[in-house]
């Protein structure tokens, strides 16, 4: 959906009796969005967003204000964390919120651009492309970000929408539609109470929910500056860098030492911590000559990535039991210990 040309828009507004200053502000907002990408559908206010999505304005405003209009459903998946058990919280938006988020994906976010080192979530991205960035790897550092989506806060999402070109109030409102408010305990950010207008005040800080269609692309955009810092540091010291969602990989095809790799690891940790992302120390690995160098399940010690024999065998096993009429997906998941437990309580966003 494209906006009318500036002259046509202005003429139409004048016929409707719209104030010249209001028309000028609207045209300036449309121009900012078109400067980002002309394919982005311009949205000027929350009421305009309601008209574009055919969602009730009262519902959208109540959701932005963190009232009881929008209730997420939580599903918990078992994490496979070495040395301890844990649960991954999947937050499923209610239908109307999901519709608003999908509209933003289709009309706004898919026309944004992540950092070139990012190979997940955006159109054309692929784990194979990420692994291809590390040919003939001799030394490899892999770092995982803990609770990747939950690390991206409401204020950072609002800043993303502002950079895209939306006016600040609307950027805040769109951020509220894409985040979930959770009581994070005594360490919650006191700044979460501040809001552009009184009715939007909230004592809880929003975060990206894992399960919303907008979260992957927004998390990518939130990592853009950090990706640039990490890529710059890697290039300066002769390493290659790629990121696939929360999996970071740094490689070198030259001779390195363990102390050099440890130094790189500390630098990566500092950069992530400064940006508000927490490295998962249990999943950090350093691999050198004599060990298998694997990125996203693909061996990268040769000129092109390839599947390991163990992975191929495991894939055949899964396919066998999934297609076997005596087993099937449910029984196979239960046997592998990956069954899902869902919360029966509808929890307020």
């Amino acid at each position: 959906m494209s906006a009318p040309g500036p002259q046509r828009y202005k003429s139409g507004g004048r016929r409707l009796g719209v104030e010249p200053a209001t028309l000028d502000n609207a045209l300036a907002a449309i121009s900012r969005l078109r400067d980002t990408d002309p394919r982005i559908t311009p949205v000027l206010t929350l009421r305009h967003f309601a008209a574009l999505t055919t969602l009730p304005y009262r519902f959208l405003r109540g959701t932005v204000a963190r009232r009881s209009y929008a209730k997420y459903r939580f599903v918990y998946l078992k994490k496979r964390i070495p040395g301890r058990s844990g649960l991954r919280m999947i937050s499923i938006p209610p239908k109307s919120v999901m519709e608003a988020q999908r509209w933003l994906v289709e009309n706004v976010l898919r026309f944004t651009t992540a950092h070139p080192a990012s190979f997940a979530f955006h159109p054309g991205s692929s784990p194979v492309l990420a692994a291809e960035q590390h040919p003939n790897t001799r030394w490899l550092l892999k770092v995982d970000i803990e609770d990747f989506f939950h690390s991206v806060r409401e204020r950072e999402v609002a800043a993303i929408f502002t950079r895209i070109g939306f006016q600040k109030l609307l950027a805040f409102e769109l951020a509220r539609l894409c985040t979930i408010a959770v009581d994070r305990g005594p360490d919650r950010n006191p700044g979460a109470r501040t809001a552009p207008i009184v009715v939007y005040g909230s004592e809880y800080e929003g975060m990206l929910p894992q399960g919303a269609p907008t979260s992957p692309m927004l998390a990518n955009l939130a990592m853009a500056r950090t990706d640039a810092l990490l890529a710059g540091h890697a290039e300066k010291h002769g390493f290659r860098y790629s990121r696939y969602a929360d999996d970071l990989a740094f490689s070198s095809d030259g001779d390195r030492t363990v102390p050099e790799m440890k130094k790189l690891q500390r630098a990566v940790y500092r950069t992530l911590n400064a940006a508000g992302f927490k490295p998962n120390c249990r999943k950090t690995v350093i691999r050198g000559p004599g060990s298998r160098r694997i990125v996203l399940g693909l061996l990268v010690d040769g000129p092109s990535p390839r599947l390991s024999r163990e992975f191929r065998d495991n894939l055949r096993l899964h396919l066998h039991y999934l297609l076997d009429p005596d087993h099937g997906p449910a029984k196979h998941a239960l046997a592998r210990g990956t069954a899902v437990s869902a919360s029966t309580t509808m929890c307020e966003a």
Side-chain angles (χ1 to χ4, degrees):
M1 184 187 301
S2 59
Q7 295 304 324
R8 182 183 168 192
Y9 188 94
K10 201 164 189 176
S11 297
R14 284 172 177 167
R15 285 196 299 271
L16 293 172
V18 179
E19 291 290 331
T22 302
L23 286 173
D24 289 340
N25 288 337
L27 287 170
I30 292 172
S31 178
R32 287 194 301 271
L33 290 166
R34 282 181 163 169
D35 286 344
T36 300
D37 193 297
R39 295 170 294 178
I40 292 176
T41 301
V43 186
L44 303 177
T45 65
L46 188 65
R47 192 176 291 278
H48 186 200
F49 184 71
L52 291 170
T53 59
T54 68
L55 293 169
Y57 171 71
R58 184 179 177 185
F59 165 78
L60 291 173
R61 189 171 172 85
T63 303
V64 171
R66 303 295 194 200
R67 302 293 182 256
S68 58
Y69 291 80
K71 296 187 177 183
Y72 280 68
R73 182 165 61 91
F74 296 122
V75 174
Y76 297 90
L77 304 178
K78 288 184 179 180
K79 286 184 178 180
R80 293 186 178 273
I81 304 175
R84 62 182 181 128
S85 60
L87 294 174
R88 184 186 307 279
M89 184 177 76
I90 307 299
S91 308
I92 303 173
K95 182 179 178 181
S96 295
V97 174
M98 181 81 80
E99 288 177 11
Q101 293 170 347
R102 283 177 174 160
W103 191 96
L104 288 170
V105 169
E106 290 301 315
N107 296 278
V108 176
L109 294 177
R110 72 188 181 103
F111 301 123
T112 59
T113 304
H115 189 274
S118 173
F119 291 89
F121 305 138
H122 274 68
S125 57
S126 160
V128 176
L129 290 176
E132 286 178 348
Q133 309 308 305
H134 306 278
N136 301 310
T137 292
R138 289 176 58 81
W139 286 91
L140 176 67
L141 166 67
K142 295 197 294 183
V143 178
D144 178 86
I145 298 175
E146 190 171 332
D147 294 327
F148 181 45
F149 290 157
H150 296 171
S151 299
V152 181
R153 297 169 295 178
E154 173 186 303
R155 64 180 62 193
E156 293 160 342
V157 178
I160 289 169
F161 282 116
T162 301
R163 288 196 296 272
I164 291 173
F166 294 100
Q167 298 185 70
K168 286 188 177 181
L169 174 58
L170 180 59
F172 174 87
E173 292 167 329
L174 296 179
R176 279 284 179 90
L177 291 174
C178 297
T179 56
I180 184 171
V182 176
D183 183 357
R184 305 184 76 173
D187 62 340
R188 65 177 182 244
N189 194 332
R193 292 186 176 89
T194 61
I197 56 179
V198 175
V199 72
Y200 288 163
S202 173
E203 63 177 322
Y204 302 133
E205 182 176 22
M207 64 183 185
L208 287 182
Q210 185 168 354
T214 44
S215 292
M217 288 186 179
L218 287 171
N220 253 2
L221 296 172
M223 272 289 292
R225 182 175 180 276
T226 306
D227 282 333
L229 292 173
L230 292 172
H233 185 82
E235 183 178 3
K236 180 180 177 181
H237 296 280
F239 287 90
R240 299 163 302 206
Y241 166 63
S242 71
R243 178 177 62 82
Y244 189 86
D246 55 0
D247 292 317
L248 285 61
F250 300 82
S251 72
S252 172
D253 56 4
D255 293 327
R256 301 285 177 169
T257 64
V258 172
E260 283 182 280
M261 300 304 292
K262 290 286 187 181
K263 183 178 179 180
L264 174 64
Q265 176 185 323
R266 290 191 296 270
V268 171
Y269 278 14
R270 284 195 299 270
T271 302
L272 291 174
N273 285 324
F277 295 101
K278 184 180 179 182
N280 190 333
C281 300
R282 289 179 174 83
K283 291 188 176 181
T284 297
V285 295
I286 293 175
R287 295 285 184 264
S291 60
R292 294 196 307 171
R293 283 81 78 194
I294 296 178
V295 174
L296 301 170
L298 297 169
L299 288 165
V300 292
D301 54 1
S304 60
R306 67 189 192 281
L307 291 171
S308 66
R309 178 180 297 177
E310 292 84 355
F311 188 94
R312 294 196 302 269
D313 291 344
N314 199 35
L315 185 61
R316 291 191 188 99
L317 181 146
H318 284 304
L319 289 173
H320 169 75
Y321 284 109
L322 289 172
L323 298 174
D324 190 329
D326 294 331
H327 293 83
K331 287 185 178 179
H332 184 53
L334 188 63
R336 302 287 295 182
T338 56
V340 175
S341 62
S343 169
T344 57
T345 303
M346 298 296 285
C347 300
E348 187 174 320

